[in-house]
mmCIF file of all heavy atoms in Angstrom:
data_model
loop_
_atom_site.group_PDB
_atom_site.id
_atom_site.type_symbol
_atom_site.label_atom_id
_atom_site.label_comp_id
_atom_site.label_asym_id
_atom_site.label_seq_id
_atom_site.Cartn_x
_atom_site.Cartn_y
_atom_site.Cartn_z
ATOM 1 N N MET A 1 180.790 132.762 46.879
ATOM 2 C CA MET A 1 180.369 131.373 47.123
ATOM 3 C C MET A 1 179.981 130.751 45.790
ATOM 4 O O MET A 1 179.146 131.282 45.057
ATOM 5 C CB MET A 1 179.176 131.352 48.082
ATOM 6 C CG MET A 1 178.713 129.943 48.459
ATOM 7 S SD MET A 1 177.271 129.966 49.571
ATOM 8 C CE MET A 1 178.001 130.650 51.046
ATOM 9 N N ASN A 2 180.618 129.592 45.403
ATOM 10 C CA ASN A 2 180.295 128.952 44.130
ATOM 11 C C ASN A 2 178.984 128.201 44.227
ATOM 12 O O ASN A 2 178.364 128.063 45.293
ATOM 13 C CB ASN A 2 181.448 128.038 43.686
ATOM 14 C CG ASN A 2 181.738 126.961 44.712
ATOM 15 O OD1 ASN A 2 180.820 126.423 45.328
ATOM 16 N ND2 ASN A 2 183.021 126.640 44.881
ATOM 17 N N ASN A 3 178.531 127.674 43.063
ATOM 18 C CA ASN A 3 177.228 127.006 43.001
ATOM 19 C C ASN A 3 177.169 125.771 43.894
ATOM 20 O O ASN A 3 176.151 125.483 44.536
ATOM 21 C CB ASN A 3 176.916 126.614 41.552
ATOM 22 C CG ASN A 3 176.605 127.827 40.697
ATOM 23 O OD1 ASN A 3 176.192 128.857 41.231
ATOM 24 N ND2 ASN A 3 176.811 127.703 39.390
ATOM 25 N N ILE A 4 178.271 125.006 43.941
ATOM 26 C CA ILE A 4 178.299 123.794 44.771
ATOM 27 C C ILE A 4 178.174 124.164 46.245
ATOM 28 O O ILE A 4 177.431 123.556 47.007
ATOM 29 C CB ILE A 4 179.598 123.001 44.523
ATOM 30 C CG1 ILE A 4 179.630 122.480 43.083
ATOM 31 C CG2 ILE A 4 179.704 121.835 45.512
ATOM 32 C CD1 ILE A 4 180.920 121.756 42.722
ATOM 33 N N SER A 5 178.902 125.218 46.634
ATOM 34 C CA SER A 5 178.844 125.658 48.025
ATOM 35 C C SER A 5 177.449 126.154 48.381
ATOM 36 O O SER A 5 176.929 125.904 49.482
ATOM 37 C CB SER A 5 179.862 126.774 48.272
ATOM 38 O OG SER A 5 181.168 126.299 48.054
ATOM 39 N N LYS A 6 176.801 126.871 47.416
ATOM 40 C CA LYS A 6 175.449 127.371 47.663
ATOM 41 C C LYS A 6 174.470 126.219 47.847
ATOM 42 O O LYS A 6 173.619 126.234 48.733
ATOM 43 C CB LYS A 6 175.001 128.257 46.506
ATOM 44 C CG LYS A 6 175.672 129.614 46.478
ATOM 45 C CD LYS A 6 175.165 130.434 45.294
ATOM 46 C CE LYS A 6 175.834 131.807 45.272
ATOM 47 N NZ LYS A 6 175.353 132.599 44.119
ATOM 48 N N LYS A 7 174.587 125.202 46.991
ATOM 49 C CA LYS A 7 173.701 124.042 47.094
ATOM 50 C C LYS A 7 173.912 123.316 48.421
ATOM 51 O O LYS A 7 172.959 122.884 49.076
ATOM 52 C CB LYS A 7 173.949 123.091 45.920
ATOM 53 C CG LYS A 7 173.438 123.623 44.594
ATOM 54 C CD LYS A 7 173.715 122.632 43.472
ATOM 55 C CE LYS A 7 173.211 123.164 42.135
ATOM 56 N NZ LYS A 7 173.484 122.220 41.027
ATOM 57 N N PHE A 8 175.181 123.168 48.809
ATOM 58 C CA PHE A 8 175.481 122.497 50.082
ATOM 59 C C PHE A 8 174.907 123.289 51.264
ATOM 60 O O PHE A 8 174.348 122.740 52.196
ATOM 61 C CB PHE A 8 177.001 122.348 50.225
ATOM 62 C CG PHE A 8 177.408 121.706 51.520
ATOM 63 C CD1 PHE A 8 177.285 120.337 51.722
ATOM 64 C CD2 PHE A 8 177.890 122.495 52.567
ATOM 65 C CE1 PHE A 8 177.655 119.761 52.922
ATOM 66 C CE2 PHE A 8 178.262 121.929 53.771
ATOM 67 C CZ PHE A 8 178.137 120.550 53.945
ATOM 68 N N TYR A 9 175.044 124.626 51.189
ATOM 69 C CA TYR A 9 174.545 125.489 52.271
ATOM 70 C C TYR A 9 173.025 125.358 52.387
ATOM 71 O O TYR A 9 172.468 125.255 53.493
ATOM 72 C CB TYR A 9 174.943 126.933 51.990
ATOM 73 C CG TYR A 9 174.388 127.908 53.001
ATOM 74 C CD1 TYR A 9 174.962 128.032 54.268
ATOM 75 C CD2 TYR A 9 173.290 128.703 52.674
ATOM 76 C CE1 TYR A 9 174.452 128.926 55.192
ATOM 77 C CE2 TYR A 9 172.775 129.595 53.598
ATOM 78 C CZ TYR A 9 173.366 129.712 54.846
ATOM 79 O OH TYR A 9 172.854 130.588 55.757
ATOM 80 N N LYS A 10 172.333 125.354 51.216
ATOM 81 C CA LYS A 10 170.873 125.237 51.227
ATOM 82 C C LYS A 10 170.436 123.890 51.807
ATOM 83 O O LYS A 10 169.466 123.796 52.551
ATOM 84 C CB LYS A 10 170.322 125.413 49.807
ATOM 85 C CG LYS A 10 170.405 126.839 49.300
ATOM 86 C CD LYS A 10 169.842 126.932 47.877
ATOM 87 C CE LYS A 10 169.917 128.371 47.370
ATOM 88 N NZ LYS A 10 169.389 128.475 45.977
ATOM 89 N N LEU A 11 171.181 122.839 51.408
ATOM 90 C CA LEU A 11 170.863 121.504 51.912
ATOM 91 C C LEU A 11 171.061 121.433 53.430
ATOM 92 O O LEU A 11 170.229 120.887 54.162
ATOM 93 C CB LEU A 11 171.755 120.468 51.220
ATOM 94 C CG LEU A 11 171.557 119.003 51.661
ATOM 95 C CD1 LEU A 11 170.113 118.537 51.388
ATOM 96 C CD2 LEU A 11 172.544 118.100 50.934
ATOM 97 N N LEU A 12 172.144 122.001 53.938
ATOM 98 C CA LEU A 12 172.420 122.026 55.372
ATOM 99 C C LEU A 12 171.332 122.800 56.121
ATOM 100 O O LEU A 12 170.860 122.383 57.184
ATOM 101 C CB LEU A 12 173.792 122.662 55.612
ATOM 102 C CG LEU A 12 174.262 122.711 57.079
ATOM 103 C CD1 LEU A 12 174.380 121.296 57.646
ATOM 104 C CD2 LEU A 12 175.592 123.443 57.177
ATOM 105 N N LEU A 13 170.924 123.939 55.547
ATOM 106 C CA LEU A 13 169.882 124.752 56.165
ATOM 107 C C LEU A 13 168.564 123.986 56.234
ATOM 108 O O LEU A 13 167.845 124.032 57.241
ATOM 109 C CB LEU A 13 169.714 126.053 55.364
ATOM 110 C CG LEU A 13 168.680 127.057 55.911
ATOM 111 C CD1 LEU A 13 169.086 127.524 57.314
ATOM 112 C CD2 LEU A 13 168.553 128.255 54.965
ATOM 113 N N LEU A 14 168.243 123.243 55.157
ATOM 114 C CA LEU A 14 167.017 122.443 55.115
ATOM 115 C C LEU A 14 167.039 121.363 56.189
ATOM 116 O O LEU A 14 166.038 121.129 56.874
ATOM 117 C CB LEU A 14 166.868 121.810 53.734
ATOM 118 C CG LEU A 14 165.623 120.923 53.523
ATOM 119 C CD1 LEU A 14 164.342 121.725 53.726
ATOM 120 C CD2 LEU A 14 165.657 120.305 52.128
ATOM 121 N N LEU A 15 168.198 120.723 56.383
ATOM 122 C CA LEU A 15 168.319 119.681 57.413
ATOM 123 C C LEU A 15 168.121 120.257 58.809
ATOM 124 O O LEU A 15 167.497 119.641 59.671
ATOM 125 C CB LEU A 15 169.697 119.004 57.317
ATOM 126 C CG LEU A 15 169.902 118.074 56.112
ATOM 127 C CD1 LEU A 15 171.358 117.617 56.031
ATOM 128 C CD2 LEU A 15 168.985 116.862 56.225
ATOM 129 N N VAL A 16 168.651 121.447 59.032
ATOM 130 C CA VAL A 16 168.483 122.102 60.334
ATOM 131 C C VAL A 16 167.021 122.394 60.601
ATOM 132 O O VAL A 16 166.501 122.167 61.703
ATOM 133 C CB VAL A 16 169.315 123.404 60.397
ATOM 134 C CG1 VAL A 16 168.938 124.219 61.631
ATOM 135 C CG2 VAL A 16 170.792 123.078 60.392
ATOM 136 N N VAL A 17 166.311 122.908 59.574
ATOM 137 C CA VAL A 17 164.880 123.222 59.724
ATOM 138 C C VAL A 17 164.081 121.969 60.026
ATOM 139 O O VAL A 17 163.225 121.952 60.917
ATOM 140 C CB VAL A 17 164.347 123.905 58.451
ATOM 141 C CG1 VAL A 17 162.819 124.010 58.497
ATOM 142 C CG2 VAL A 17 164.976 125.281 58.289
ATOM 143 N N ILE A 18 164.365 120.874 59.280
ATOM 144 C CA ILE A 18 163.637 119.609 59.484
ATOM 145 C C ILE A 18 163.892 119.069 60.883
ATOM 146 O O ILE A 18 162.974 118.643 61.589
ATOM 147 C CB ILE A 18 164.054 118.572 58.412
ATOM 148 C CG1 ILE A 18 163.554 119.011 57.039
ATOM 149 C CG2 ILE A 18 163.503 117.189 58.762
ATOM 150 C CD1 ILE A 18 164.065 118.150 55.894
ATOM 151 N N THR A 19 165.182 119.076 61.291
ATOM 152 C CA THR A 19 165.534 118.572 62.621
ATOM 153 C C THR A 19 164.851 119.369 63.714
ATOM 154 O O THR A 19 164.294 118.830 64.664
ATOM 155 C CB THR A 19 167.059 118.619 62.820
ATOM 156 O OG1 THR A 19 167.684 117.865 61.793
ATOM 157 C CG2 THR A 19 167.439 118.053 64.185
ATOM 158 N N THR A 20 164.879 120.705 63.589
ATOM 159 C CA THR A 20 164.230 121.571 64.584
ATOM 160 C C THR A 20 162.746 121.314 64.642
ATOM 161 O O THR A 20 162.139 121.242 65.714
ATOM 162 C CB THR A 20 164.490 123.047 64.246
ATOM 163 O OG1 THR A 20 165.887 123.267 64.161
ATOM 164 C CG2 THR A 20 163.864 123.957 65.306
ATOM 165 N N SER A 21 162.119 121.137 63.465
ATOM 166 C CA SER A 21 160.679 120.868 63.407
ATOM 167 C C SER A 21 160.335 119.556 64.083
ATOM 168 O O SER A 21 159.354 119.464 64.835
ATOM 169 C CB SER A 21 160.215 120.844 61.944
ATOM 170 O OG SER A 21 158.857 120.496 61.854
ATOM 171 N N CYS A 22 161.150 118.523 63.859
ATOM 172 C CA CYS A 22 160.899 117.216 64.469
ATOM 173 C C CYS A 22 160.988 117.302 65.990
ATOM 174 O O CYS A 22 160.149 116.757 66.704
ATOM 175 C CB CYS A 22 161.890 116.172 63.954
ATOM 176 S SG CYS A 22 161.597 115.693 62.235
ATOM 177 N N LYS A 23 162.009 118.008 66.490
ATOM 178 C CA LYS A 23 162.163 118.148 67.928
ATOM 179 C C LYS A 23 160.976 118.890 68.519
ATOM 180 O O LYS A 23 160.459 118.556 69.583
ATOM 181 C CB LYS A 23 163.463 118.885 68.244
ATOM 182 C CG LYS A 23 164.720 118.058 68.004
ATOM 183 C CD LYS A 23 165.960 118.842 68.374
ATOM 184 C CE LYS A 23 167.211 118.009 68.162
ATOM 185 N NZ LYS A 23 168.442 118.758 68.489
ATOM 186 N N HIS A 24 160.506 119.926 67.798
ATOM 187 C CA HIS A 24 159.368 120.700 68.274
ATOM 188 C C HIS A 24 158.121 119.826 68.353
ATOM 189 O O HIS A 24 157.381 119.875 69.324
ATOM 190 C CB HIS A 24 159.144 121.879 67.330
ATOM 191 C CG HIS A 24 157.972 122.724 67.715
ATOM 192 N ND1 HIS A 24 157.949 123.486 68.853
ATOM 193 C CD2 HIS A 24 156.772 122.908 67.105
ATOM 194 C CE1 HIS A 24 156.794 124.124 68.948
ATOM 195 N NE2 HIS A 24 156.060 123.786 67.898
ATOM 196 N N ASN A 25 157.900 118.977 67.362
ATOM 197 C CA ASN A 25 156.739 118.091 67.348
ATOM 198 C C ASN A 25 156.808 117.087 68.489
ATOM 199 O O ASN A 25 155.794 116.766 69.115
ATOM 200 C CB ASN A 25 156.632 117.363 66.005
ATOM 201 C CG ASN A 25 156.200 118.298 64.882
ATOM 202 O OD1 ASN A 25 155.600 119.343 65.147
ATOM 203 N ND2 ASN A 25 156.537 117.942 63.654
ATOM 204 N N GLN A 26 158.007 116.557 68.770
ATOM 205 C CA GLN A 26 158.160 115.619 69.880
ATOM 206 C C GLN A 26 157.800 116.295 71.193
ATOM 207 O O GLN A 26 157.130 115.710 72.036
ATOM 208 C CB GLN A 26 159.605 115.106 69.921
ATOM 209 C CG GLN A 26 159.938 114.120 68.816
ATOM 210 C CD GLN A 26 161.398 113.743 68.814
ATOM 211 O OE1 GLN A 26 162.208 114.321 69.532
ATOM 212 N NE2 GLN A 26 161.754 112.770 67.999
ATOM 213 N N LYS A 27 158.198 117.530 71.345
ATOM 214 C CA LYS A 27 157.875 118.260 72.561
ATOM 215 C C LYS A 27 156.371 118.470 72.662
ATOM 216 O O LYS A 27 155.783 118.320 73.739
ATOM 217 C CB LYS A 27 158.600 119.597 72.582
ATOM 218 C CG LYS A 27 158.423 120.376 73.873
ATOM 219 C CD LYS A 27 159.245 121.647 73.837
ATOM 220 C CE LYS A 27 159.209 122.378 75.177
ATOM 221 N NZ LYS A 27 157.862 122.764 75.582
ATOM 222 N N GLU A 28 155.720 118.774 71.582
ATOM 223 C CA GLU A 28 154.277 118.968 71.594
ATOM 224 C C GLU A 28 153.551 117.695 71.994
ATOM 225 O O GLU A 28 152.604 117.731 72.762
ATOM 226 C CB GLU A 28 153.788 119.435 70.214
ATOM 227 C CG GLU A 28 154.083 120.890 69.945
ATOM 228 C CD GLU A 28 153.547 121.335 68.615
ATOM 229 O OE1 GLU A 28 153.220 120.467 67.788
ATOM 230 O OE2 GLU A 28 153.469 122.558 68.393
ATOM 231 N N VAL A 29 154.018 116.558 71.469
ATOM 232 C CA VAL A 29 153.396 115.284 71.839
ATOM 233 C C VAL A 29 153.560 115.033 73.327
ATOM 234 O O VAL A 29 152.614 114.641 74.015
ATOM 235 C CB VAL A 29 154.006 114.119 71.023
ATOM 236 C CG1 VAL A 29 153.541 112.777 71.558
ATOM 237 C CG2 VAL A 29 153.627 114.256 69.558
ATOM 238 N N TYR A 30 154.759 115.301 73.816
ATOM 239 C CA TYR A 30 155.021 115.107 75.258
ATOM 240 C C TYR A 30 154.128 116.022 76.086
ATOM 241 O O TYR A 30 153.501 115.599 77.045
ATOM 242 C CB TYR A 30 156.495 115.384 75.550
ATOM 243 C CG TYR A 30 156.856 115.301 77.013
ATOM 244 C CD1 TYR A 30 157.087 114.076 77.624
ATOM 245 C CD2 TYR A 30 156.963 116.454 77.788
ATOM 246 C CE1 TYR A 30 157.411 113.998 78.962
ATOM 247 C CE2 TYR A 30 157.290 116.394 79.128
ATOM 248 C CZ TYR A 30 157.514 115.157 79.709
ATOM 249 O OH TYR A 30 157.828 115.082 81.031
ATOM 250 N N ASP A 31 154.072 117.300 75.686
ATOM 251 C CA ASP A 31 153.243 118.257 76.423
ATOM 252 C C ASP A 31 151.770 117.861 76.367
ATOM 253 O O ASP A 31 151.038 118.005 77.338
ATOM 254 C CB ASP A 31 153.421 119.658 75.854
ATOM 255 C CG ASP A 31 154.763 120.254 76.230
ATOM 256 O OD1 ASP A 31 155.422 119.703 77.134
ATOM 257 O OD2 ASP A 31 155.144 121.252 75.604
ATOM 258 N N LYS A 32 151.342 117.366 75.200
ATOM 259 C CA LYS A 32 149.952 116.955 75.050
ATOM 260 C C LYS A 32 149.613 115.828 76.024
ATOM 261 O O LYS A 32 148.560 115.815 76.637
ATOM 262 C CB LYS A 32 149.692 116.504 73.615
ATOM 263 C CG LYS A 32 148.237 116.135 73.343
ATOM 264 C CD LYS A 32 148.043 115.746 71.893
ATOM 265 C CE LYS A 32 146.592 115.344 71.645
ATOM 266 N NZ LYS A 32 146.373 114.926 70.247
ATOM 267 N N ASN A 33 150.542 114.863 76.183
ATOM 268 C CA ASN A 33 150.301 113.778 77.134
ATOM 269 C C ASN A 33 150.197 114.325 78.553
ATOM 270 O O ASN A 33 149.347 113.898 79.334
ATOM 271 C CB ASN A 33 151.437 112.747 77.051
ATOM 272 C CG ASN A 33 151.381 111.952 75.757
ATOM 273 O OD1 ASN A 33 150.343 111.858 75.125
ATOM 274 N ND2 ASN A 33 152.513 111.399 75.364
#
């Protein structure tokens, strides 16, 4: 895997983590209500 591919993979992984975290927080707010 070249450097560009590695950077793209890391960026994609970061987006997945952020998206998952946001969904989890929305669920917590809903559950809290």
Side-chain angles (χ1 to χ4, degrees):
M1 183 181 292
N2 59 38
N3 289 336
I4 295 176
S5 297
K6 287 180 180 180
K7 288 180 180 179
F8 178 77
Y9 176 77
K10 288 180 180 179
L11 179 60
L12 182 61
L13 182 62
L14 180 60
L15 288 172
V16 169
V17 170
I18 292 173
T19 303
T20 304
S21 176
C22 289
K23 288 182 179 179
H24 179 68
N25 288 338
Q26 287 175 352
K27 185 177 186 300
E28 284 182 344
V29 170
Y30 176 81
D31 287 346
K32 183 178 179 181
N33 289 338

